[in-house]
Amino acid sequence: MSLPLVVFLPFLGAIAAPLFALGGRTAIAIASSVPALIALAALFPHWETLANGGTVLQSWEWLPAIGISFSFRLDGLSLLFALLILIIGVLIILYARYYLKPAENIGKFYALLLCFKGSMLGIVLSSNLLLMMIFWELTSLTSFLLISFWNHKQDARRGARMALAVTGGGGLALLAGILIIGNIVGSFELDDVLAAGDVIKAHSMYPIALTLVLLGAFTKSAQFPFHFWLPHAMQAPTPVSAYLHSATMVKAGIFLMARLYPALAGTEQWFYMVSFTGMATLLIGAYVAMFKHDLKGLLAHSTVSHLGLITLLFGMGTELAAVAAVFHVINHATFKASLFMAAGIIDHETGTRDMRRINGLWRYMPHTATLAMVAASSMAGVPLLNGFLSKEMFFAESLQLNLPGIWAWLPPIVATLAGIFAVAYSARFIHDVFFNGKPVNLPIYPPHEPPRYMKIPVEILVFACIMVGMFPAVSVGPLLYAAAHATLGGEVPDYQLAVIHGFNLPLIMSFAAFFGGLIMYSQRQKFFDFHARFKEIDEKAVFEAIVLRIVDLANAFTARLENGSLQRYAMLLVVSVLAVAAMPLLDLGIFIGETGLSPVDWPTAIAAGVLIICALLTAAVHRQRFYALVVLSVVGLIVALAFARFSAPDLAMTQLSVEVVTIVLLMLALYYMPGWTPVETPLKRRFRDIAIAGIAGIGMTLVTLAMLTHPFSSISDFFLENSKPGGGGTNVVNVILVDFRGFDTLGEITVLAIAALGIYALLKNTPLTPPPSDGEGHAWSRDAYPLMLRLIARPLLPLSLMVSAFIFLRGHNLPGGGFIAGLITSIALILQYIASGLNWTQDRIPFKYHNVIGLGLLFATIAGAASLAFGYPFLTSTFGYITWPVVGKFEVASALVFDLGVYLTVIGATLLALVTIGRISPHSAIKSKREGA
């Protein structure tokens, strides 16, 4: 259970975080760090297994029918990313304690940060690709909320929308790619997918699957041409930028490429798509970073460039290139997170990030300046720092590609050119910010060092840059080997982690990049003048224009279909069904079979006649709403009788209860509507509608007759045979609802709850003025709550509750159950509201219906999740028998807890919706006040 614990601890911490916010920033920072520390302790015992190339797998069945299992996998690669997520996460939590202002909603911030951390851990530790996909989407949602944390800023909201749109679109592509891979392999389990690499690459769907998976990776890791979202996400608070956009979220796409490397890499498609995308991203990001005046903008584009470098290394397809890519993941996370935090300190202490104004900060902030300069030097690839080592490996691998002819020069030239730009923008970061004269019009002057503990996270990461740069084999060697072994899926080629590997061509390339970058920076004004000749593309404006265009097209298309006429919608729906179903049904042939029809008795014929007449009357008098509702209620009653006639008592009871609730709901709504509807449909259209309705009705009748008079096989026999031995109940309908199809029922009550909450939210503050009289001009009665109704309704309440309890308890073996019992209870309570008023009733029912809904969903979910603890699939039920004195032997089923959840949810949702509609009527409040007086 250690791996699920690691994943879900941050989510539990997110629930508790707002509670600790009451104790201040220090209390919540300490509390938010605890889940990560426990997770690190849970991972530590597995190190020996992973160091020897082993894998830890922990799995439970979840939805085996569709290939989803609750499985987690820990190997060297997932350990590396988990350590980055957890350790840097703890440092960010400490840093944010001093960065955020006391007036900001720190509880919300830490809760979102912990949810994001849990989502990232879910990605790197999931062993099932569909489970990983769930966490993948959670990172997009939580990052959207974190980027827009300062939602009072328009740029923050726009940047968050852009990030969500790009990464969300990539997520859809990734889901499609995963489904194709699962279909090829026959499994979504990672071990099966990695073992089937040759099968996947030989399959005809491989190019499509590869393209879709890479779209997901490229959008997440800001690869060209999807790189534009990352710089605009810099409107987030700096702790978010340091965590999401340097060490975690943007590395999710990199992790995906490394994770699926054994299954997808090694083909020409992989080489050209991944390497050229990485190459373009590497150069574009490096070039643009040189000309950014915003400190975080420079770091954002440099992040894009370094992500392109890692992608290029994976695209090269050689084993040593993959090792170098993994190594640079470690190095980039350390120096870039420290640089972002240093930039946040500068912004925090000066009030601006404009590099044209924040000059000469060395004299004011020497400690911060030293830390930032070391981290920037590592980014530039200066010797004795970790960035130098992975850059050397990058240069070496760029020389090993056997490309034909002149193309063999392209990788080393691109690598050296990117190195020149990296040195140039790093030198600009150091010189322009900490030297280059004096500060210019700073909002906060004079700047000073931040609080002592705000610098500790930066110090730790800078120390890591130095240790890895000077002692790589000792400090990071074992972890890199374990991660490389898991990435390659087998033996790791020989490589050396040394400060220097002698005088060779990669070292010459490093010197060329270093001095070339310094020369470029010294001549920066010429490069700025050259850059100024070109019109800068505003990616945000382009993106907003594209989104606006898509919205306009969608609105135009919707306006053609949706003109506000319910009649037209119904017509389009029925015509579409007829068009889609006509050809298959005509080919199939619709005719009455040999089974024949059952004889019709007089009661059935009379009920059918009444049903037809009332249906026609509803259409005839539909302009007089009250009469139409009365006639329609007769239709519902006849349907309930039909269910009872054909031996479906559960359905009959449900139909009858739903009919009562629906009539009450419609009566409440009719109170605010005119009593009649004017004639709006011309005669020609009425004949058209009659023809369409007639064709649909006749067609459905023929289909029904054809089905019922031909022999057919049904799954009902399975339910009848297994209801008692498998579900412990003789009421097959109830056993299906709470056991065989319990997952469907859980979804349905969730939708019911959402609908009720939606009604509440829409009508909570809706100003509705009731009409002064009914449709015929008669004034409303002053006696809103008649005495006789009150005298009858109040004694009925305990009787109704007793009947409801009886129906609920017997539902597993006899007609009844939680849904019917919930409706009966709702009707009994609604009757009290109608008879005695809102305030009188609520004085005697003190709890909120929101809580009842939540409690019902909680019971239903706990009943389903409890089976996981015993190693069974979600919502597996059990039953047994106990004997009590007097009562005797009786059955106890775990499905009763699930049914209790259904019961509570139905009560809460029904009453919340009806009471909310009733509350906007002034009569209940007026009458109740008069009664209270």
Side-chain angles (χ1 to χ4, degrees):
M1 285 293 290
S2 59
L3 299 186
L5 179 69
V6 170
V7 173
F8 289 104
L9 269 174
F11 291 105
L12 296 175
I15 297 173
L19 302 177
F20 288 93
L22 301 175
R25 291 185 293 172
T26 301
I28 192 173
I30 294 173
S32 300
S33 302
V34 171
L37 298 177
I38 297 175
L40 287 170
L43 292 175
F44 179 76
H46 301 301
W47 167 243
E48 186 174 352
T49 301
L50 304 180
N52 295 322
T55 300
V56 178
L57 185 64
Q58 297 175 356
S59 180
W60 296 264
E61 283 193 348
W62 184 11
L63 298 173
I66 59 174
I68 301 181
S69 63
F70 200 66
S71 56
F72 297 92
R73 186 178 193 270
L74 180 66
D75 58 14
L77 180 65
S78 52
L79 175 67
L80 166 62
F81 277 86
L83 291 177
L84 291 176
I85 294 164
L86 291 169
I87 295 173
I88 295 180
V90 170
L91 299 179
I92 293 296
I93 286 170
L94 174 61
Y95 176 83
R97 179 258 179 264
Y98 296 95
Y99 181 87
L100 296 175
K101 298 176 181 178
E104 294 185 288
N105 191 343
I106 55 175
K108 174 185 174 182
F109 179 84
Y110 279 113
L112 291 175
L113 197 66
L114 288 169
C115 284
F116 176 81
K117 180 187 293 185
S119 303
M120 278 300 305
L121 289 170
I123 290 177
V124 302
L125 293 177
S126 292
S127 183
N128 183 279
L129 291 180
L130 293 178
L131 181 65
M132 184 204 73
M133 194 66 227
I134 295 173
F135 290 112
W136 184 278
E137 292 305 303
L138 281 176
T139 60
S140 295
L141 294 174
T142 50
S143 66
F144 167 78
L145 296 172
L146 283 167
I147 295 169
S148 61
F149 179 74
W150 286 334
N151 51 33
H152 59 280
K153 296 183 177 180
Q154 186 183 56
D155 287 342
R157 298 195 301 271
R158 287 183 174 179
R161 286 200 302 268
M162 184 185 296
L164 181 63
V166 175
T167 59
L172 289 175
L174 175 60
L175 176 60
I178 286 174
L179 292 175
I180 293 174
I181 291 174
N183 184 61
I184 295 172
V185 179
S187 171
F188 294 102
E189 291 301 314
L190 197 55
D191 285 346
D192 297 332
V193 171
L194 297 180
D198 293 337
V199 176
I200 296 172
K201 286 177 274 194
H203 200 276
S204 60
M205 293 294 289
Y206 167 73
I208 298 175
L210 176 64
T211 302
L212 292 170
V213 169
L214 289 179
L215 277 174
F218 290 164
T219 52
K220 203 76 162 183
S221 289
Q223 297 298 294
F224 176 83
F226 310 106
H227 63 289
F228 56 87
W229 71 263
L230 180 57
H232 293 286
M234 292 298 119
Q235 298 300 325
T238 298
V240 174
S241 302
Y243 193 44
L244 274 66
H245 305 137
S246 65
T248 52
M249 179 179 170
V250 292
K251 295 293 197 312
I254 300 296
F255 171 80
L256 182 66
M257 286 187 283
R259 181 81 288 170
L260 297 179
Y261 188 84
L264 300 179
T267 64
E268 288 189 1
Q269 295 99 318
W270 172 276
F271 172 78
Y272 287 112
M273 293 179 69
V274 179
S275 61
F276 279 93
T277 299
M279 194 179 298
T281 308
L282 170 65
L283 289 178
I284 292 172
Y287 174 82
V288 177
M290 177 66 191
F291 304 102
K292 287 296 176 182
H293 299 300
D294 178 67
L295 199 56
K296 285 176 68 175
L298 184 151
L299 294 178
H301 283 91
S302 71
T303 298
V304 170
S305 179
H306 281 271
L307 292 172
L309 186 156
I310 299 171
T311 301
L312 173 56
L313 283 169
F314 277 121
M316 289 179 179
T318 64
E319 293 180 340
L320 281 175
V323 174
V326 174
F327 190 25
H328 198 64
V329 167
I330 303 172
N331 296 335
H332 178 259
T334 51
F335 67 66
K336 190 54 63 70
S338 58
L339 281 171
F340 268 112
M341 285 192 272
I345 290 173
I346 293 168
D347 185 18
H348 189 267
E349 302 304 328
T350 64
T352 181
R353 302 194 306 258
D354 192 335
M355 296 172 65
R356 294 165 294 189
R357 300 169 67 184
I358 47 175
N359 310 128
L361 293 186
W362 167 265
R363 70 185 68 181
Y364 302 100
M365 307 168 66
H367 192 164
T368 301
T370 303
L371 296 173
M373 287 190 290
V374 173
S377 300
S378 179
M379 180 170 65
V382 174
L384 300 182
L385 296 171
N386 61 350
F388 173 77
L389 300 179
S390 50
K391 186 186 70 174
E392 284 282 286
M393 296 177 74
F394 170 50
F395 286 161
E397 290 308 305
S398 70
L399 297 167
Q400 300 302 316
L401 293 180
N402 296 319
L403 297 180
I406 194 173
W407 293 105
W409 290 94
L410 181 62
I413 290 174
V414 168
T416 306
L417 187 59
I420 291 172
F421 276 112
V423 172
Y425 61 66
S426 300
R428 186 177 177 221
F429 180 94
I430 294 172
H431 184 259
D432 283 14
V433 174
F434 302 111
F435 304 100
N436 198 28
K438 297 180 180 180
V440 180
N441 298 327
L442 293 183
I444 301 175
Y445 188 85
H448 55 78
E449 291 285 359
R452 177 70 190 92
Y453 289 102
M454 191 176 185
K455 292 180 289 189
I456 286 180
V458 188
E459 293 169 345
I460 293 173
L461 292 173
V462 169
F463 178 73
C465 293
I466 297 171
M467 287 298 296
V468 173
M470 297 181 67
F471 310 104
V474 176
S475 58
V476 79
L479 179 60
L480 176 60
Y481 179 86
H485 185 277
T487 300
L488 297 173
E491 293 299 320
V492 180
D494 291 333
Y495 65 92
Q496 289 184 341
L497 290 179
V499 176
I500 194 167
H501 296 87
F503 189 79
N504 52 25
L505 195 52
L507 184 62
I508 295 174
M509 293 169 67
S510 293
F511 280 121
F514 182 74
F515 290 110
L518 293 180
I519 293 171
M520 174 180 280
Y521 177 68
S522 67
Q523 302 299 314
R524 60 190 177 279
Q525 192 55 52
K526 295 180 181 179
F527 287 98
F528 273 93
D529 294 339
F530 172 78
H531 181 71
R533 296 178 185 177
F534 304 96
K535 184 178 180 180
E536 190 168 351
I537 299 175
D538 187 349
E539 298 104 333
K540 186 186 298 181
V542 174
F543 176 81
E544 293 288 341
I546 293 173
V547 171
L548 187 62
R549 179 59 178 163
I550 293 173
V551 170
D552 288 342
L553 290 173
N555 288 336
F557 180 75
T558 303
R560 296 292 299 272
L561 295 177
E562 185 178 341
N563 64 346
S565 170
L566 182 61
Q567 182 187 35
R568 183 181 182 187
Y569 303 155
M571 184 269 294
L572 290 174
L573 176 63
V574 174
V575 170
S576 300
V577 171
L578 290 173
V580 171
M583 291 304 295
L585 289 175
L586 290 175
D587 292 339
L588 194 62
I590 302 176
F591 54 89
I592 298 176
E594 299 176 357
T595 306
L597 300 174
S598 301
V600 179
D601 53 26
W602 282 108
T604 304
I606 293 172
V610 173
L611 181 67
I612 294 170
I613 292 171
C614 290
L616 293 173
L617 277 175
T618 302
V621 301
H622 74 278
R623 291 189 180 87
Q624 297 174 308
R625 292 192 171 106
F626 178 75
Y627 297 116
L629 181 59
V630 171
V631 177
L632 187 62
S633 66
V634 178
V635 174
L637 177 61
I638 298 297
V639 172
L641 292 175
F643 286 140
R645 167 67 177 79
F646 292 104
S647 302
D650 282 274
L651 294 178
M653 294 167 66
T654 304
Q655 171 66 27
L656 196 58
S657 303
V658 168
E659 193 65 30
V660 173
V661 172
T662 304
I663 293 300
V664 173
L665 175 65
L666 291 176
M667 287 295 293
L668 288 171
L670 287 183
Y671 175 69
Y672 292 95
M673 299 173 68
W676 59 279
T677 305
V679 177
E680 297 174 344
T681 307
L683 187 62
K684 185 184 296 185
R685 187 175 298 174
R686 288 187 221 170
F687 283 117
R688 181 204 68 184
D689 294 343
I690 291 171
I692 294 173
I695 294 171
I698 293 169
M700 199 64 223
T701 301
L702 292 175
V703 170
T704 304
L705 287 173
M707 289 180 60
L708 295 178
T709 57
H710 283 79
F712 61 91
S713 59
S714 172
I715 61 171
S716 58
D717 291 337
F718 169 82
F719 294 126
L720 291 170
E721 293 170 2
N722 291 277
S723 177
K724 181 64 177 176
T730 56
N731 182 6
V732 182
V733 173
N734 185 262
V735 173
I736 290 174
L737 290 176
V738 300
D739 191 328
F740 294 124
R741 304 302 296 268
F743 204 80
D744 291 351
T745 305
L746 180 61
E748 288 160 5
I749 62 172
T750 303
V751 171
L752 181 64
I754 294 171
L757 293 172
I759 292 172
Y760 173 79
L762 288 171
L763 299 181
K764 181 180 178 182
N765 297 314
T766 302
L768 288 180
T769 302
S773 60
D774 64 7
E776 298 180 0
H778 301 125
W780 300 110
S781 170
R782 285 191 160 191
D783 190 9
Y785 310 110
L787 176 63
M788 288 299 296
L789 182 60
R790 293 203 303 271
L791 292 176
I792 295 172
R794 292 178 186 179
L796 280 177
L797 178 60
L799 179 62
S800 302
L801 294 179
M802 183 178 66
V803 171
S804 173
F806 173 71
I807 292 294
F808 172 77
L809 292 173
R810 79 170 197 167
H812 210 52
N813 292 289
L814 293 170
F819 192 85
I820 301 172
L823 288 173
I824 293 173
T825 302
S826 301
I827 293 168
L829 294 174
I830 281 295
L831 183 60
Q832 306 308 309
Y833 281 100
I834 295 173
S836 303
L838 186 70
N839 291 350
W840 183 92
T841 309
Q842 287 194 333
D843 287 344
R844 289 151 181 82
I845 307 177
F847 45 81
K848 295 183 178 179
Y849 296 120
H850 303 75
N851 299 336
V852 177
I853 293 174
L855 192 62
L857 292 175
L858 181 64
F859 272 118
T861 305
I862 289 175
S867 57
L868 294 174
F870 296 95
Y872 292 96
F874 185 71
L875 274 173
T876 301
S877 66
T878 185
F879 62 93
Y881 297 89
I882 60 175
T883 302
W884 277 2
V886 181
V887 177
K889 182 180 179 181
F890 64 96
E891 178 190 298
V892 176
S894 62
L896 188 67
V897 179
F898 183 82
D899 218 12
L900 178 61
V902 174
Y903 173 77
L904 292 174
T905 306
V906 169
I907 293 174
T910 304
L911 290 176
L912 180 63
L914 293 178
V915 172
T916 301
I917 296 174
R919 182 179 285 115
I920 56 180
S921 168
H923 292 293
S924 57
I926 293 171
K927 183 66 179 176
S928 298
K929 288 178 182 177
R930 193 157 58 239
E931 284 182 353

